[in-house]
Amino acid sequence: MHRRLVFEEPVSRAAIWSRRLALFGLTVVVLAVVIFRFGQPSVERLAPIAGAYVFVLLALLLSLAAFVRIWQDGHRGIGIAAFAFVLSLLLLLPLAYAGFQLATLPLISDVSTDIDEPPAFSRSRVALAARQGLVPPDVAPERRKAQRQGYPRALPIVLELPAEIAYDIARKASVNLGWRVLEGAAPGGRSGAGRLDAVAHSRVLRLVDDITIRIRPRADGSRIDIRSASRLGGFDFGANARRIAAFEEEVKLLVELR
């Protein structure tokens, strides 16, 4: 009886290393995000996340190289390379989306529904302590105009309700959205305006954004203006405009439920 020897083609080393790098990149990204979430946000602490994506990009390039070698030399490992390729693409999708936003949205990290007279942030002891002594700086008028072009729907909320009721609705909307309300002042006094100051966090990285809301009485009701500013960086990837839109939707929902 004769044995028949079967020689199998070797597994592509590029495919093996592409999978290793993709899994390593995934691990580092997850760990870096977790560490960032539970620390003090800063641009420097984003470096490990950026470094992790170097491995992800290398994994993508190696998977492409593996496809070429497998096609040319008949090596095995197409499934391994495909896994690394898909995983790398999935990890790179957030970066691609961020790049698209950077190219299409205005370079701003402070959005207000009133670009001519934006609501001012409170400088009380409570508010300053919550913001670690920081007060979001004023934004140049030309950048506010760019905001209007980039976020045309960030407009004042006009209600056919008294300012006192609008204040209660604005406060409840802030709480419903998960914001931490720092302090508030009901409409009245010399100016007749009310205000709320709050703090919000992004979902993934827990980046901190500061919010101030102004409620003014009108002859036919009230007007609510909201301003949301990011503490980190000069570009917010549209986060503040989305937060303002979510606040407007919540206010309208609460008005309908009255």
Side-chain angles (χ1 to χ4, degrees):
M1 184 175 179
H2 299 283
R3 291 186 178 181
R4 188 174 182 181
L5 299 178
V6 178
F7 294 95
E8 291 186 347
E9 292 293 337
V11 178
S12 168
R13 291 175 60 85
I16 294 173
W17 276 101
S18 67
R19 181 174 63 180
R20 289 175 179 174
L21 285 173
L23 291 173
F24 181 74
L26 172 63
T27 303
V28 177
V29 167
V30 172
L31 288 177
V33 169
V34 170
I35 293 172
F36 187 92
R37 280 173 58 92
F38 292 99
Q40 185 66 32
S42 66
V43 175
E44 292 76 15
R45 296 186 69 250
L46 288 172
I49 301 177
Y53 274 100
V54 174
F55 295 101
V56 176
L57 184 59
L58 287 175
L60 180 67
L61 296 176
L62 270 179
S63 66
L64 293 174
F67 288 141
V68 175
R69 293 298 301 273
I70 291 170
W71 175 264
Q72 292 179 341
D73 302 333
H75 289 176
R76 293 183 298 125
I78 186 69
I80 298 174
F83 171 82
F85 180 77
V86 172
L87 179 57
S88 300
L89 280 184
L90 290 176
L91 289 171
L92 288 169
L93 276 178
L95 285 187
Y97 180 63
F100 172 78
Q101 290 182 311
L102 186 60
T104 57
L105 297 179
L107 191 63
I108 194 171
S109 60
D110 185 324
V111 179
S112 172
T113 56
D114 188 342
I115 64 172
D116 298 318
E117 188 183 354
F121 285 93
S122 172
R123 294 176 181 266
S124 72
R125 184 171 58 184
V126 173
L128 288 175
R131 295 198 301 262
Q132 300 177 344
L134 301 175
V135 177
D138 294 332
V139 178
E142 58 270 15
R143 296 186 68 188
R144 285 289 182 206
K145 292 180 181 178
Q147 173 218 299
R148 178 64 75 223
Q149 294 176 352
Y151 306 121
R153 296 185 179 181
L155 299 171
I157 304 171
V158 178
L159 303 179
E160 295 179 354
L161 295 170
E164 294 78 11
I165 296 178
Y167 171 82
D168 293 335
I169 290 175
R171 190 180 190 99
K172 187 173 183 179
S174 301
V175 173
N176 290 352
L177 290 170
W179 303 348
R180 180 164 64 95
V181 178
L182 304 178
E183 63 177 15
R190 185 181 305 173
S191 66
R195 63 173 181 80
L196 289 164
D197 275 72
V199 170
H201 295 83
S202 64
R203 291 183 179 180
V204 179
L205 295 178
R206 302 291 295 171
L207 296 173
V208 184
D209 295 334
D210 297 304
I211 303 162
T212 185
I213 303 169
R214 182 180 63 208
I215 304 95
R216 284 177 168 174
R218 289 165 47 102
D220 56 348
S222 56
R223 166 175 166 162
I224 302 175
D225 282 294
I226 176 173
R227 177 182 174 188
S228 181
S230 300
R231 291 188 192 176
L232 188 64
F235 181 64
D236 63 3
F237 297 96
N240 290 302
R242 289 192 296 271
R243 181 173 295 109
I244 290 174
F247 176 77
E248 181 182 8
E249 291 179 6
E250 188 65 24
V251 167
K252 290 181 178 179
L253 177 62
L254 291 174
V255 171
E256 291 176 359
L257 294 176
R258 288 188 75 253

